Amino acid sequence: MALGDLMASRFSQSSVAVSNHLDECSSHGDGDLSSHRRDRDSDAASSSYANATATTSMAYFPQNILLCELRHDAFEACAPSGPSDSGLVSKWRPRDRMKTGCVALVLCLNISVDPPDVIKISPCARMECWIDPFSMAPQKALEMIGKNLSAQYERWQPKARCKYQLDPTVEEVKKLCNTCRKYAKSERVLFHYNGHGVPKPTANGEIWLFNKSYTQYIPLPISDLDSWLKTPSIYVFDCSAAGMIVNAFIELHDWNASVSSGSARDCILLAACEAHETLPQSAEFPADVFTSCLTTPIKMALRWFCTRSLLRESLDYSLIDKIPGRQNDRKTLLGELNWIFTAVTDTIAWNVLPHDLFQRLFRQDLLVASLFRNFLLAERIMRSANCSPISHPILPPTHQHHMWDAWDMAAEICLSQLKSLVDDPNAEFQPSPFFTEQLTAFEVWLDHGSENKKPPEQLPIVLQLHDSCISHQSYPYFLMGNVSAYFEQMERKIIGLSSVRTFSLNADGMGVVPSGMIKKSSLVTIPCLALLEVPVAGMEVSSSVLLSQCHRFRALVLLGRFLDMGPWAVDLALSVGIFPYVLKLLQTTTPELRQILVFIWTKILALDKVDLVKDGGHVYFIRFLDSVEAYPEQRAMAAFVLAVIVDGHKRGQEACIRAGLIDVCLKHLQGSIPNDGQTEPLFLQWLCLCLGKLWEDFTDTQIMSLQASGPAIYAPLLSLLSEPQPEVRASAVFALGTLLDVGFDSTREGTGDEECDDDDEKIKAEISIIKSLLNVVSDGSPLVRAEIAVALGRFAFGHNKHLKSIAAAYWKPHSNLLNSFPSLANAKGTSNVYTNPNQYMPYGSIVPPQVGPLLRVGNDNSVIRDGRVSTSSSPLANSGIMHGSPLSDDSSQHSDSGILNDGVSNGIVNHSRPRPLDNSMYSQCVFAMRTLAKDPSPRIASLGRRVLSIIGIEQVVNKPVKSAGTTVRPADPAALSPTPSLIGLARSTSWFDMNGGNLPMTFRTPPVSPPRPSYLTGMRRVYSLEFRPHQLNSPDAGLADPLLGSAGSSGVSERSFLPQSIIYNWSCGHFSKPLLSAADDSEEILARREEREKFALEHISKCQHSSVSKLNNQIASWDTKFETGAKTALLQPFSPIVVAADESERIRIWNYDEATLLNSFDNHNFPDKGISKLCLVNELDDSLLLVASCDGNVRIWKDYTRRGQQKLVTAFSSIQGHRPGVRSVKAVVDWQQQSGYLYAAGEISSITAWDLDKEQLVYSMPSLSDSSISALFCSSASQVHGGQLAVGFVDGSVKLFDVRTPDMLVCAARPHTTRSERVVGIGFQPGLDPAKIVSASQAGDIQFLDVRNSNSAYLTIDAHRGSLTALAVHRHAPLIASGSAKQIIKVFSLEGSQLGTIRYYPTFMAQKIGPVTCLAFHPYQVLLAAGADDSLVSIYADDNSQAR
């Protein structure tokens, strides 16, 4: 599939799964149900109750899969990493880029005098630098050879200074070396030695020079040469037995390394042959064949190839010398050959060498890279003459690499035109189809390759590292048939105007063929990305340029497809050198390249950060972001790129602000309609993140934005806090949080009153932002709550002193406490803060559920003397110990207003505000911080505790050790010194008791005077900086770093105290994943789902037509080892697995077929509330375990059947507040897969509905009763009617709600009239009948109701006498079961017939059960799981089943 097809689709994070809901189960908007949907469904809902007369056998399997987004993948397990922090960043960055600054040429030819150890053949090789030294006077020939060699090197490195010595003495060579090193300074020096006129090197590696009179050969030790040239350096030795020199160099460097601790010397060696070899003497070659390969590779390669080519009869050496063109002009024959040769050698090197060695030799130094490319040619040519060039570092053999065949073919095609081009200067050169074929080969690899397969050989590109090489003149021309049709289709694919099937070019570049018909000849492997270069502005556009652009466009598309395969692909592409090309492309204004360029840069920056500002690249992306022709998801990529550019980069922030990025982002945000289905969530998400990164730690920009636009700056962000996508909400919170002042800015200190106007704007903005954040502090998504915690942390820094004063007010007596909280002032003289007994704590209320204990802080036993607590019953700790208090020293006292006088506390400077917010706002913030500190998500709770620590409240978080009914910390001084005062502390209760006494909190401040010995004996002081870093680094500590530094540290170091945002780094992970292809396991998932649906349908049919006579055959029994017995149980539908949990929220999973324990884990670290419900989410797929605690907290686990591998997917509190005078929430919940809703109720006067896809509270439905809800049931996963909700109350009443009807309440009844006992269980009758309900009360009666006649029950079963504890209704079979505390389980039919009794028998062999605590039917089989107080969980079947 081509890149354009997929880029035109909507890249959305919010809908991975199929959302094929029924109409009545469609998701609601925020707030109340939409009126049009109610109107649409109300008639259908009414008729369903009126016409339901018989059960039906149909079943509906919901197609939606929830909680499988990127945000649910191990959110709790690890901290996300952003670009350049992922650990996969390649070594492509040219951090140690080098240049060869000087070239020293030493030629020892001694023309006309043969060295004594060489016996020449006849005829023999004579050419030196393509000059015959015997064709002129020896001295003249020597000078011409020196000049030619110098010119040849200058072509490869024009800026290098070349100096040569001809037949020199040792002193002359020494002077040359010292001069070159002095000139080159720290740059590399190249030393080229031609020893054709002197003897072979000695065994010690000495090379030979001359004396002044040329009567003697003088040896030069390699050690001397090395000491003169120093490092870095590169040596080229063109002489026989050159390997001896290399060996001597290696020995010298090894010895130096052993005696010196300095860094290794950067020394590169190229030698013409091995130590035992002699240079080729065949007349076919020049005498300096090694030098010719290194400095004139094209000429040497073609002269060697023409004698082996099929064209050898029509070619001769003289014709090759007349090849027209220039090497850097790719429109000419010579330029085309040079381009292809560079591509071939680069490809060979990249595929053969280790990547770090490739970077060093082919990407670090332009001249070194050229020499090593040419060295590969030298190896190929000289090995044909039985001579083996060697190098240091050693390269693997490459002379037989198959890429040389591709070079031979391309060279032959080009040479076939040589004669006509030489004869007719006006003849047009026909470019080779070489690159066209390689693009096709690369495309074939993309269709079949993967990370686990060999990387594509075509990935290396022709890189011209020097700026002058990247020009229009260096372009190839390509001839193609039907070019316009091809370009039109590719353009349509990339901008998403249509979807066409994938196609490829013919191997000869002519026309278009389907992908499956690619010729074998097209599969030659070669680089394809050399077509990415940019034409110089103002150049005339010709047909040949259009052709080149067309190839470049196709190469970009294929590159984009490759980069999309994952970070490994981006790493490979960067390592091979695409960066300078795609950077240069940002200078082009070609419209059709915009989308693919943005995509490519998105992939690059998702892996690694680069500075695009210095090259003006940010302007390109701002223009694209503001364009109208791009799709929203493409503009989202541009916003991502800009966010990376400004992330932590002051210069990037300034440049983007000057370019108008803020206005562009706000324009798009203001133009979007909240909750509009057409608005791209990913685009909104990255607009927010981009704004947040622009404002982050840049106070001047924040103030400038607020002054320029006022509320218009943050109003669009506030509207996004109700968006259905958690990613958008979290990003909006992040952006809003960056506008909150952290209280310090070194650039603005000491400005005095001149900043008052700025502060006014800041305070107005902070009030609006904080009010909005407080309303969403209990958002259903941990991602959102994490950002709220970070934002409140910033606010706590900026308002530290005032927030501490509010927290300190909790030490005051009762009356003063109420005065300190304007929000609680109306509570004076009352036993609670409610004026209406039916009032409950609403969602987003500022008063926490534990307000009762809060108001009991002041009591007769507590006295405030001189600002210090001197009491034996302090509200500071419960089941723990207070570690420090700002009131414990004489100098740390409260004034009448409750303001702390110390200027430094908790290691944080108390930055005063000129106009602080009112106390009610501060009190709301403290309550919000407290809510976050007891969050069901460990990461959010850790962030919340971090925020509380900023205002001086420390939570001692240690898992409790239970002993004799008391919970103490093992290291508590209370356990060591149980003085009366400390015992009183342990007994006290207050709002500081964060979670059942397990999270005691204390105030902390550095002591400004020695601790008083009489102050609460046994307590110890805690300095602010002793924040237990090991706790913060624990797995559940969130992203906060340990508090380090000192109280007097600067603002920069103080920022390390702030909890860190995660949404940006987490969001970057989206773009590092494949965006253009579906998951590989989609077919496997569909196959598994089909199999499960088939299984479910077969067993549903069996259940509906089953005739069960008895259900008392115990097929399995499991001792769960629960100390308090099983609280709830669940049978998995497609595996022989039972899940059970106890009062301590310990969850255990058991395979009852194999009688093995699969897994056991704690629902959370401080369990004491008990679990009220276990449900399966995504029952037909990879199911998740939903665990609802009695306190209303919901946690959802994945991989829960794997021992020790369970992961928390998400967690939130489903209950917001509770009734007055009630200490426990006693939450009841139920889950409905087809709608994706979780319903929750309890000691509140409403039923809340949570959309788990949006992770958001969608509506709150009043229960219309003074009693609390004790049982709740919504239609099951395979039932069609998804809008009904059956509710039982503590007073024995029953109500049926239908969310599709305008009034929601369908009927209300009080069937349990004999004794008004609480409803224990409720459910719809099997058979999918929406009009019939089964209800059981604690009194023991089971009532069968028909909502069409709700005045009285049509059937009553007196199952138990005042001891009914559990009720289970089978989803499909006509069975119900009830359990009793008197150790009895009874099974009934829908007609009221008792089908079986399971009871306790005292005999030795009989089955034994304890008081029944829970019952659960298998959803598709006639199996019943029963849990009891004696820790046994038993499974029962009918008589036909065999015991396991």
Side-chain angles (χ1 to χ4, degrees):
M1 182 176 288
L3 178 67
D5 297 329
L6 296 159
M7 286 187 66
S9 65
R10 295 290 186 267
F11 300 134
S12 176
Q13 287 178 274
S14 60
S15 56
V16 173
V18 181
S19 56
N20 206 3
H21 304 275
L22 294 179
D23 286 343
E24 59 265 28
C25 302
S26 62
S27 58
H28 316 302
D30 297 331
D32 294 333
L33 294 174
S34 57
S35 58
H36 73 275
R37 211 203 68 154
R38 288 177 176 173
D39 296 339
R40 182 192 65 195
D41 290 340
S42 59
D43 295 338
S46 300
S47 62
S48 67
Y49 300 115
N51 300 327
T53 57
T55 61
T56 174
S57 61
M58 78 178 286
Y60 167 70
F61 297 113
Q63 302 298 309
N64 55 336
I65 303 177
L66 303 173
L67 303 175
C68 58
E69 311 285 348
L70 179 64
R71 66 180 181 270
H72 302 122
D73 187 14
F75 171 79
E76 301 288 343
C78 58
S81 58
S84 78
D85 297 324
S86 61
L88 188 60
V89 179
S90 68
K91 299 177 182 177
W92 67 274
R93 291 175 179 268
R95 297 182 181 89
D96 51 354
R97 183 178 294 280
M98 196 170 294
K99 182 176 70 174
T100 300
C102 199
V103 177
L105 307 177
V106 175
L107 281 70
C108 298
L109 297 179
N110 200 12
I111 297 173
S112 73
V113 178
D114 294 334
D117 58 349
V118 174
I119 301 176
K120 293 187 176 180
I121 63 174
S122 181
C124 70
R126 300 173 59 176
M127 305 287 285
E128 298 278 355
C129 291
W130 306 108
I131 295 175
D132 185 354
F134 299 98
S135 62
M136 60 190 75
Q139 188 60 33
K140 183 179 179 181
L142 185 62
E143 291 178 358
M144 289 190 64
I145 292 171
K147 290 180 180 179
N148 270 13
L149 183 59
S150 178
Q152 288 168 189
Y153 270 111
E154 286 174 351
R155 278 202 296 268
W156 297 108
Q157 179 64 291
K159 296 183 179 180
R161 174 178 292 187
C162 291
K163 293 180 174 293
Y164 56 86
Q165 287 289 344
L166 309 176
D167 292 344
T169 63
V170 173
E171 290 300 322
E172 291 170 338
V173 170
K174 179 179 181 181
K175 182 179 179 181
L176 173 66
C177 292
N178 290 333
T179 301
C180 288
R181 172 47 63 195
K182 182 178 180 180
Y183 175 81
K185 298 179 180 177
S186 61
E187 295 177 346
R188 196 186 306 274
V189 174
L190 185 146
F191 180 86
H192 182 105
Y193 173 75
N194 183 326
H196 296 171
V198 293
K200 297 178 183 179
T202 66
N204 295 327
E206 298 166 312
I207 59 175
W208 295 99
L209 301 174
F210 301 96
N211 61 0
K212 290 184 179 181
S213 59
Y214 296 97
T215 58
Q216 289 182 336
Y217 298 111
I218 307 299
L220 172 62
I222 290 300
S223 58
D224 291 348
L225 184 62
D226 182 63
S227 65
W228 299 335
L229 285 177
K230 299 182 175 60
T231 187
S233 55
I234 179 171
Y235 298 86
V236 178
F237 296 105
D238 188 355
C239 59
S240 297
M244 290 186 177
I245 308 174
V246 175
N247 295 336
F249 253 110
I250 294 175
E251 291 180 5
L252 175 64
H253 289 171
D254 291 343
W255 183 84
N256 289 336
S258 63
V259 299
S260 174
S261 59
S263 59
R265 295 174 67 86
D266 185 0
C267 181
I268 299 174
L269 306 172
L270 298 175
C273 58
E274 295 275 8
H276 61 279
E277 293 176 342
T278 303
L279 293 177
Q281 296 188 23
S282 171
E284 176 189 1
F285 302 106
D288 62 345
V289 57
F290 185 63
T291 299
S292 298
C293 289
L294 295 182
T295 57
T296 55
I298 301 300
K299 185 174 183 178
M300 187 66 225
L302 294 179
R303 287 171 68 96
W304 179 80
F305 174 70
C306 72
T307 60
R308 294 161 174 79
S309 169
L310 298 176
L311 306 174
R312 56 183 175 273
E313 295 182 358
S314 60
L315 293 176
D316 55 40
Y317 291 164
S318 61
L319 200 59
I320 290 176
D321 292 338
K322 298 177 183 178
I323 292 178
R326 299 186 304 276
Q327 285 192 2
N328 61 351
D329 187 355
R330 295 178 181 175
K331 296 180 295 184
T332 64
L333 177 57
L334 184 59
E336 174 90 346
L337 287 168
N338 184 60
W339 187 17
I340 296 173
F341 175 80
T342 305
V344 169
T345 50
D346 246 16
T347 301
I348 293 174
W350 187 77
N351 282 283
V352 171
L353 300 184
H355 283 185
D356 55 346
L357 186 59
F358 176 81
Q359 288 294 320
R360 179 188 174 193
L361 301 182
F362 287 82
R363 293 295 180 263
Q364 187 185 68
D365 187 318
L366 181 61
L367 180 57
V368 171
S370 300
L371 289 178
F372 269 93
R373 288 191 193 100
N374 304 339
F375 177 80
L376 302 184
L377 173 69
E379 183 188 16
R380 185 192 191 202
I381 292 177
M382 295 183 70
R383 278 184 178 265
S384 67
N386 298 319
C387 190
S388 302
I390 60 175
S391 67
H392 178 73
I394 300 175
L395 303 186
T398 59
H399 61 288
Q400 292 182 333
H401 198 279
H402 63 270
M403 290 300 296
W404 288 118
D405 298 331
W407 159 253
D408 293 343
M409 179 181 177
E412 198 159 56
I413 292 174
C414 292
L415 290 176
S416 64
Q417 307 176 55
L418 180 58
K419 187 172 178 59
S420 61
L421 291 174
V422 172
D423 294 342
D424 182 9
N426 296 323
E428 185 177 358
F429 166 62
Q430 302 293 325
S432 166
F434 185 81
F435 286 97
T436 303
E437 294 173 353
Q438 304 321 309
L439 287 175
T440 302
F442 189 38
E443 190 170 10
V444 170
W445 187 94
L446 290 174
D447 291 336
H448 305 283
S450 68
E451 181 179 5
N452 299 323
K453 296 183 179 180
K454 184 181 178 182
E457 291 182 343
Q458 302 83 8
L459 185 59
I461 64 174
V462 178
L463 292 178
Q464 303 296 339
L465 299 180
H466 199 271
D467 292 342
S468 63
C469 297
I470 303 181
S471 62
H472 176 65
Q473 287 81 356
S474 62
Y475 265 62
Y477 284 11
F478 297 90
L479 293 182
M480 296 172 52
N482 199 13
V483 171
S484 59
Y486 166 72
F487 188 89
E488 180 182 357
Q489 291 217 48
M490 291 298 289
E491 182 182 66
R492 291 170 64 194
K493 291 159 81 70
I494 196 65
I495 64 176
L497 297 180
S498 68
S499 178
V500 296
R501 64 174 180 166
T502 306
F503 63 95
S504 307
L505 294 181
N506 278 325
D508 57 0
M510 306 297 290
V512 178
V513 297
S515 297
M517 300 174 58
I518 299 174
K519 297 181 181 180
K520 290 185 177 179
S521 61
S522 69
L523 300 181
V524 182
T525 53
I526 201 67
C528 70
L529 305 178
L531 308 167
L532 306 186
E533 297 190 1
V534 187
V536 174
M539 282 292 178
E540 181 181 356
V541 178
S542 63
S543 60
S544 59
V545 174
L546 291 178
L547 294 180
S548 176
Q549 289 177 346
C550 182
H551 279 267
R552 186 170 65 251
F553 181 81
R554 183 187 179 200
L556 282 169
V557 172
L558 297 179
L559 173 61
R561 285 183 56 190
F562 177 72
L563 297 181
D564 190 59
M565 299 182 78
W568 64 271
V570 181
D571 186 69
L572 281 177
L574 289 174
S575 69
V576 83
I578 68 165
F579 182 78
Y581 278 90
V582 292
L583 181 63
K584 194 74 175 178
L585 277 169
L586 294 181
Q587 300 176 9
T588 184
T589 57
T590 309
E592 61 271 13
L593 297 184
R594 290 181 184 175
Q595 288 87 353
I596 182 58
L597 268 180
V598 170
F599 182 84
I600 288 173
W601 273 107
T602 297
K603 285 297 179 179
I604 292 174
L605 294 180
L607 178 73
D608 201 358
K609 290 177 63 174
V610 293
D611 183 9
L612 295 179
V613 175
K614 62 181 180 182
D615 298 298
H618 63 290
V619 178
Y620 184 91
F621 295 101
I622 293 176
R623 290 174 180 170
F624 183 87
L625 182 64
D626 199 28
S627 62
V628 294
E629 70 274 7
Y631 283 107
E633 68 273 7
Q634 295 168 340
R635 291 203 293 266
M637 296 180 188
F640 161 74
V641 171
L642 291 166
V644 176
I645 289 175
V646 301
D647 179 27
H649 186 23
K650 191 71 170 289
R651 194 157 58 91
Q653 291 173 312
E654 294 171 346
C656 288
I657 289 170
R658 286 195 301 269
L661 178 56
I662 292 180
D663 294 334
V664 173
C665 292
L666 289 177
K667 182 182 74 172
H668 288 298
L669 286 177
Q670 293 165 351
S672 65
I673 303 175
N675 303 318
D676 183 8
Q678 300 300 318
T679 303
E680 175 59 42
L682 189 66
F683 184 37
L684 295 177
Q685 175 185 346
W686 277 102
L687 285 174
C688 296
L689 293 173
C690 188
L691 282 174
K693 285 298 176 180
L694 269 173
W695 292 326
E696 190 175 42
D697 300 329
F698 201 173
T699 306
D700 291 340
T701 301
Q702 299 168 14
I703 294 176
M704 181 182 68
S705 300
L706 292 171
Q707 287 178 335
S709 305
I713 280 288
Y714 52 85
L717 296 171
L718 296 178
S719 66
L720 297 179
L721 296 180
S722 60
E723 277 289 299
Q725 293 79 20
E727 297 88 351
V728 176
R729 302 199 301 271
S731 301
V733 173
F734 166 73
L736 290 169
T738 58
L739 286 175
L740 296 176
D741 191 2
V742 295
F744 44 76
D745 187 346
S746 58
T747 63
R748 303 177 68 241
E749 289 179 358
T751 54
D753 296 335
E754 64 188 36
E755 300 294 342
C756 287
D757 294 337
D758 298 342
D759 288 324
D760 287 341
E761 291 294 339
K762 291 284 289 182
I763 291 174
K764 290 178 183 177
E766 286 184 346
I767 292 175
S768 298
I769 291 171
I770 287 297
K771 283 183 177 179
S772 300
L773 295 184
L774 290 175
N775 289 331
V776 293
V777 74
S778 296
D779 190 278
S781 172
L783 202 61
V784 179
R785 300 198 304 275
E787 296 308 310
I788 294 173
V790 172
L792 289 178
R794 295 176 63 89
F795 181 76
F797 260 85
H799 299 256
N800 179 258
K801 183 175 181 179
H802 309 292
L803 286 169
K804 287 184 65 177
S805 70
I806 295 296
Y810 287 105
W811 268 266
K812 289 184 173 293
H814 190 181
S815 58
N816 290 341
L817 172 65
L818 293 177
N819 288 330
S820 300
F821 287 86
S823 60
L824 303 182
N826 63 343
K828 285 187 180 182
T830 64
S831 59
N832 56 62
V833 296
Y834 298 97
T835 58
N836 186 336
N838 293 330
Q839 197 174 0
Y840 71 100
M841 297 306 302
Y843 175 69
S845 171
I846 63 169
V847 184
Q850 286 74 8
V851 70
L854 164 63
L855 299 183
R856 290 195 297 274
V857 169
N859 54 52
D860 296 336
N861 296 327
S862 61
V863 182
I864 302 284
R865 294 195 184 98
D866 300 327
R868 294 191 299 274
V869 179
S870 57
T871 176
S872 61
S873 181
S874 170
L876 296 180
N878 183 18
S879 303
I881 190 68
M882 181 175 68
H883 286 277
S885 169
L887 310 176
S888 59
D889 300 307
D890 288 330
S891 57
S892 278
Q893 299 179 359
H894 289 288
S895 65
D896 291 338
S897 61
I899 303 296
L900 291 176
N901 293 327
D902 55 340
V904 177
S905 179
N906 197 32
I908 300 163
V909 177
N910 289 326
H911 302 278
S912 61
R913 302 280 300 181
R915 297 181 186 178
L917 312 183
D918 59 90
N919 281 356
S920 63
M921 182 71 71
Y922 289 129
S923 64
Q924 294 176 49
C925 291
V926 173
F927 284 132
M929 296 172 190
R930 171 215 180 252
T931 300
L932 293 170
K934 57 177 296 186
D935 195 274
S937 165
R939 171 162 288 177
I940 309 305
S942 176
L943 290 174
R945 295 192 296 268
R946 185 67 174 273
V947 175
L948 284 176
S949 71
I950 294 175
I951 62 172
I953 303 173
E954 179 189 29
Q955 292 176 317
V956 182
V957 183
N958 281 298
K959 195 166 183 177
V961 178
K962 295 186 177 181
S963 176
T966 304
T967 302
V968 297
R969 293 173 58 240
D972 268 343
L976 304 176
S977 178
T979 62
S981 61
L982 296 181
I983 294 174
L985 278 172
R987 284 201 307 266
S988 67
T989 58
S990 74
W991 75 283
F992 290 99
D993 174 13
M994 297 299 295
N995 195 338
N998 294 315
L999 299 181
M1001 302 161 53
T1002 64
F1003 265 79
R1004 305 176 302 149
T1005 182
V1008 292
S1009 62
R1012 295 170 60 92
S1014 61
Y1015 177 70
L1016 292 180
T1017 305
M1019 304 184 82
R1020 64 181 179 86
R1021 296 290 308 204
V1022 175
Y1023 282 82
S1024 300
L1025 301 181
E1026 296 176 357
F1027 189 72
R1028 298 173 177 78
H1030 66 279
Q1031 292 180 9
L1032 292 176
N1033 291 333
S1034 62
D1036 65 343
L1039 297 179
D1041 296 323
L1043 298 183
L1044 302 174
S1046 63
S1049 60
S1050 65
V1052 176
S1053 63
E1054 284 181 359
R1055 293 179 189 270
S1056 64
F1057 286 77
L1058 287 170
Q1060 300 299 309
S1061 171
I1062 63 173
I1063 182 63
Y1064 170 74
N1065 286 346
W1066 176 88
S1067 299
C1068 291
H1070 169 75
F1071 293 112
S1072 64
K1073 297 180 180 296
L1075 302 175
L1076 306 178
S1077 58
D1080 296 335
D1081 56 352
S1082 56
E1083 293 183 2
E1084 179 184 348
I1085 293 174
L1086 290 175
R1088 183 176 61 227
R1089 184 181 179 89
E1090 289 178 1
E1091 180 183 352
R1092 290 184 172 183
E1093 286 183 355
K1094 181 180 179 181
F1095 172 90
L1097 286 172
E1098 291 177 355
H1099 285 77
I1100 287 173
S1101 179
K1102 291 179 181 179
C1103 288
Q1104 290 174 343
H1105 300 90
S1106 64
S1107 56
V1108 179
S1109 58
K1110 290 184 178 181
L1111 191 68
N1112 56 7
N1113 182 17
Q1114 187 182 52
I1115 62 172
S1117 182
W1118 169 37
D1119 185 0
T1120 61
K1121 309 295 185 184
F1122 290 146
E1123 295 179 2
T1124 57
K1127 171 81 171 179
T1128 182
L1130 170 72
L1131 286 169
Q1132 269 202 357
F1134 305 107
S1135 303
I1137 291 175
V1138 60
V1139 183
D1142 68 350
E1143 286 282 356
S1144 298
E1145 303 199 35
R1146 184 77 177 170
I1147 300 171
R1148 289 183 176 146
I1149 298 96
W1150 189 58
N1151 185 312
Y1152 53 84
D1153 263 359
E1154 301 175 359
T1156 56
L1157 182 67
L1158 300 180
N1159 195 14
S1160 177
F1161 60 94
D1162 288 320
N1163 189 36
H1164 59 103
N1165 290 334
F1166 300 95
D1168 61 350
K1169 304 297 183 184
I1171 290 177
S1172 66
K1173 185 81 171 183
L1174 295 174
C1175 301
L1176 289 181
V1177 180
N1178 305 332
E1179 182 180 278
L1180 294 169
D1181 301 279
D1182 288 333
S1183 62
L1184 308 173
L1185 182 64
L1186 186 150
V1187 183
S1189 301
C1190 292
D1191 60 359
N1193 289 335
V1194 174
R1195 296 171 178 85
I1196 300 178
W1197 299 87
K1198 66 186 291 189
D1199 300 331
Y1200 57 94
T1201 59
R1202 302 178 184 176
R1203 187 179 297 273
Q1205 298 184 28
Q1206 69 280 351
K1207 296 182 181 124
L1208 187 61
V1209 174
T1210 188
F1212 64 98
S1213 178
S1214 63
I1215 302 295
Q1216 307 298 323
H1218 57 70
R1219 292 179 181 274
V1222 177
R1223 295 293 304 275
S1224 176
V1225 176
K1226 297 180 182 178
V1228 290
V1229 303
D1230 203 12
W1231 159 248
Q1232 192 177 67
Q1233 178 74 36
Q1234 58 264 52
S1235 65
Y1237 282 4
L1238 176 82
Y1239 294 94
E1243 296 290 350
I1244 58 175
S1245 53
S1246 66
I1247 304 168
T1248 57
W1250 294 82
D1251 188 326
L1252 289 195
D1253 185 31
K1254 301 175 182 177
E1255 298 185 63
Q1256 194 174 35
L1257 179 70
V1258 287
Y1259 61 85
S1260 182
M1261 183 168 50
S1263 64
L1264 305 176
S1265 173
D1266 294 341
S1267 297
S1268 299
I1269 296 174
S1270 59
L1272 184 148
F1273 185 84
C1274 54
S1275 50
S1276 304
S1278 55
Q1279 293 177 338
V1280 175
H1281 303 283
Q1284 296 114 9
L1285 192 67
V1287 178
F1289 292 83
V1290 172
D1291 63 358
S1293 60
V1294 171
K1295 294 183 180 181
L1296 177 67
F1297 296 91
D1298 193 322
V1299 298
R1300 300 169 298 173
T1301 61
D1303 298 329
M1304 293 194 185
L1305 180 63
V1306 175
C1307 73
R1310 190 181 291 272
H1312 307 284
T1313 57
T1314 305
R1315 293 171 57 187
S1316 296
E1317 299 272 358
R1318 61 189 294 268
V1319 175
V1320 173
I1322 194 169
F1324 292 100
Q1325 289 190 24
L1328 313 183
D1329 191 337
K1332 293 183 178 181
I1333 299 174
V1334 179
S1335 173
S1337 76
Q1338 192 172 353
D1341 61 316
I1342 302 175
Q1343 304 291 340
F1344 291 72
L1345 302 175
D1346 192 323
V1347 299
R1348 293 161 295 189
N1349 182 16
S1350 59
N1351 293 329
S1352 62
Y1354 70 86
L1355 177 63
T1356 299
I1357 301 176
D1358 290 323
H1360 308 275
R1361 296 182 181 178
S1363 59
L1364 191 146
T1365 56
L1367 175 73
V1369 182
H1370 200 285
R1371 191 183 295 181
H1372 302 287
L1375 299 173
I1376 63 173
S1378 63
S1380 167
K1382 297 179 180 179
Q1383 301 168 278
I1384 297 176
I1385 300 173
K1386 294 182 180 180
V1387 181
F1388 301 94
S1389 68
L1390 296 184
E1391 290 76 26
S1393 303
Q1394 185 170 330
L1395 302 180
T1397 301
I1398 305 167
R1399 65 173 65 245
Y1400 176 83
Y1401 293 98
T1403 59
F1404 177 73
M1405 295 298 294
Q1407 61 185 9
K1408 297 179 175 62
I1409 65 171
V1412 179
T1413 55
C1414 59
L1415 295 173
F1417 275 112
H1418 191 285
Y1420 305 118
Q1421 298 180 43
V1422 183
L1423 294 176
L1424 176 66
D1429 270 344
D1430 58 2
S1431 79
L1432 287 179
V1433 173
S1434 302
I1435 299 175
Y1436 301 93
D1438 56 20
D1439 291 338
N1440 298 325
S1441 301
Q1442 297 179 355
R1444 290 170 170 81

